[in-house]
Amino acid sequence: MKILALETSAKSVSVAVTEDGVPLASSYQNTGLTHSRTLMPLLDAMLTSSGLELQDMDALAVAAGPGSFTGLRIGVSALKGLAWAAEKPCCGVSTLEAMARNLAHMDALIVCAMDARRNQVYNALFRARGGALERLTPDRAIGIEELAKELADISAETGKIVVGDGAQLCYTGLLERGVSCTLAPAALRMQNAVGVALCAGEMVRRGETTSARDLVPVYLRLSQAERERLAKGLKITVD
């Protein structure tokens, strides 16, 4: 089973193809260029150089959130277009679960962290054992103070490892609050499309695919513009 995946949830952008859980090709950039400029050329170059085609894929996947509102829209919109044209099933993968997949080989408590601004991180906790992940919390936006209190109450025979583009922020905040933890290695810290594809493979096996029409981003909270409209007593949707 071949799966094509896109990852645009933060500053980096990546694309990948896996087959039965094994990466066949991938490409990654973290150069500060906008995803609208880099995503499709990155995808086209990867497919061309690897001799793969969109029609070879059994399913298409994208990191659907949480993450940057603009980044998620770009990734989800691109995948919807590809899937619609190729008539392929889709998987909207949790960004946090995909980044935890990088460390599934570790026996540890995985603390996923993306900078959500406003003194919060997008977070989920997973326990990694023998290559498998056990989800301990839902995806959520949480303050570092609250997260530190929660982690202090969780017993872990093994260590706590912080992963994600917000890992440094979270790691520093946790240490300041007396929570012992380590940073994931730099090469495994950032979210990437290989993790998205691996998670999607499990979703396909469970029958958790969706159509291009029904694929949507998962933001977890309102955008700044939506919050400002609500503060003014205005609606955020059109009747």
Side-chain angles (χ1 to χ4, degrees):
M1 177 173 58
K2 290 188 178 71
I3 295 179
L4 169 70
L6 313 180
E7 218 302 342
T8 60
S9 66
K11 291 183 179 179
S12 62
V13 58
S14 58
V15 296
V17 174
T18 62
E19 183 173 19
D20 299 328
V22 178
L24 296 182
S26 65
S27 187
Y28 174 96
Q29 283 189 18
N30 190 14
T31 58
L33 299 175
T34 61
H35 298 337
S36 58
R37 175 179 173 183
T38 57
L39 176 61
M40 296 313 291
L42 204 67
L43 175 60
D44 183 62
M46 181 194 69
L47 291 176
T48 299
S49 64
S50 60
L52 296 168
E53 297 183 1
L54 189 60
Q55 287 298 336
D56 297 332
M57 306 302 148
D58 297 291
L60 308 184
V62 65
S68 156
F69 283 62
T70 301
L72 294 178
R73 289 189 184 108
I74 290 172
V76 170
S77 296
L79 195 86
K80 286 170 73 76
L82 293 169
W84 208 306
E87 298 182 334
K88 300 291 184 179
C90 302
C91 292
V93 175
S94 160
T95 308
L96 299 169
E97 185 170 352
M99 68 173 67
R101 181 61 52 187
N102 291 349
L103 300 173
H105 63 287
M106 305 286 288
D107 287 333
L109 180 68
I110 310 301
V111 181
C112 300
M114 300 181 70
D115 187 357
R117 313 291 182 184
R118 302 170 67 208
N119 298 313
Q120 290 186 323
V121 289
Y122 293 126
N123 165 262
L125 303 179
F126 296 84
R127 196 177 299 279
R129 287 193 184 98
L133 290 176
E134 176 191 0
R135 179 182 279 274
L136 302 181
T137 70
D139 293 352
R140 68 263 176 97
I142 187 172
I144 294 180
E145 181 75 33
E146 183 181 353
L147 178 60
K149 291 178 181 177
E150 182 177 333
L151 289 172
D153 293 335
I154 296 178
S155 61
E157 301 83 4
T158 52
K160 300 178 177 74
I161 303 179
V162 189
V163 64
D165 67 291
Q168 183 66 61
L169 170 70
C170 188
Y171 169 77
T172 301
L174 292 176
L175 289 185
E176 289 173 348
R177 292 163 176 82
V179 177
S180 177
C181 57
T182 59
L183 275 172
L188 300 177
R189 191 176 306 161
M190 301 306 235
Q191 42 271 61
N192 65 73
V194 172
V196 175
L198 295 176
C199 289
E202 296 181 0
M203 293 176 69
V204 171
R205 285 188 286 273
R206 295 193 299 263
E208 297 174 359
T209 61
T210 188
S211 66
R213 182 192 64 184
D214 295 330
L215 181 69
V216 294
V218 179
Y219 298 125
L220 288 190
R221 69 184 191 193
L222 298 176
S223 68
Q224 179 66 31
E226 289 170 326
R227 293 195 299 272
E228 291 175 356
R229 285 184 64 84
L230 285 178
K232 296 176 182 177
L234 301 174
K235 293 182 179 180
I236 59 175
T237 59
V238 178
D239 292 333

